[in-house]
Amino acid sequence: MPILLAVFFLSGATALAYQIIWIRLFVLVFGGTVTSMSVVVAAFMGGLAIGSRLFGAYAERVANRVRLYGYLELALGVIAFAVFFVIRHLSTIVYALPAGMNANSAAGVFVRLLLSFIILAVPTMIMGGTLPVLIRAVTAERKEIMRNTGLLYAFNTLGAMTGAFLVGFLLIRFFGVTISTAIAVVVNFLLGAAALFVSGRFEST
């Protein structure tokens, strides 16, 4: 459990790191920080909700949920790396749209929103699936659900606060969004590897 708490702390840090990085990148797509933030947060919350429902249900049918969690972290690292480059090129694509679909037109806004939600759907759903998967992995009895959920959520939230601070105030400022993304991706890979390494101790019932 202590290992998984540390893992989930860092998982929360990478999630908020990605959110801040995506907000910065989407400014190039929407032309404004407020709009960019609104879109990313909306996609983030929606993806978390859907991912929690889907992966939470799927975890019920999996024998080793810690192993599943490890695979989710590895997948998140790969997809987040790809998403970074897709968003970078999205700004080029949207500015090549016809004049009638500029950022101020209804059609232009709709196209940007649609593309943004599609791009962020998979990584945010994976993030949303990590909590219910880990809760199911470490909960043998129903009476443990509240305690384990509280612990995991608390460490994840503390990690999110830490990630937001480090990326928002330090990493992007001194290293830029590319290196900040690379650091978050590497952390995801390490978390996935750590989860797979200890997964043999968590054969769920």
Side-chain angles (χ1 to χ4, degrees):
M1 188 65 173
I3 295 175
L4 293 183
L5 290 176
V7 164
F8 215 47
F9 174 89
L10 293 173
S11 179
T14 61
L16 262 291
Y18 289 133
Q19 186 180 45
I20 292 174
I21 290 169
W22 293 339
I23 289 172
R24 296 290 290 267
L25 292 175
F26 272 113
V27 169
L28 300 176
V29 177
F30 290 97
T33 303
V34 174
T35 305
S36 172
M37 184 180 299
S38 301
V39 171
V40 172
V41 171
F44 204 83
M45 294 297 116
L48 292 181
I50 296 172
S52 178
R53 178 68 181 89
L54 293 178
F55 285 105
Y58 178 69
E60 295 289 337
R61 305 190 298 271
V62 176
N64 193 314
R65 287 96 185 195
V66 174
R67 183 174 295 126
L68 173 59
Y69 173 82
Y71 289 142
L72 289 177
E73 288 289 351
L74 294 175
L76 178 59
V78 173
I79 294 171
F81 184 74
V83 164
F84 171 78
F85 290 100
V86 171
I87 298 175
R88 291 286 291 266
H89 287 87
L90 180 61
S91 60
T92 303
I93 295 173
V94 296
Y95 284 109
L97 293 172
M101 299 180 66
N102 59 48
N104 296 320
S105 69
V109 171
F110 175 78
V111 169
R112 287 166 171 79
L113 287 174
L114 180 62
L115 292 174
S116 302
F117 278 96
I118 291 173
I119 291 169
L120 297 182
V122 175
T124 54
M125 285 192 293
I126 292 175
M127 292 176 190
T130 55
L131 180 61
V133 169
L134 268 193
I135 290 174
R136 190 66 184 87
V138 298
T139 303
E141 300 179 14
R142 291 192 177 276
K143 65 181 181 181
E144 300 175 340
I145 290 178
M146 292 184 63
R147 179 178 64 87
N148 290 343
T149 300
L151 277 174
L152 289 170
Y153 194 79
F155 274 78
N156 190 248
T157 303
L158 288 173
M161 293 168 55
T162 304
F165 173 80
L166 290 177
V167 173
F169 291 97
L170 298 175
L171 291 180
I172 292 180
R173 178 181 179 184
F174 293 107
F175 301 106
V177 293
T178 302
I179 294 180
S180 298
T181 299
I183 292 173
V185 168
V186 169
V187 172
N188 282 137
F189 288 155
L190 292 175
L191 294 179
L196 293 177
F197 180 74
V198 302
S199 62
R201 309 176 190 178
F202 292 88
E203 288 296 338
S204 305
T205 57

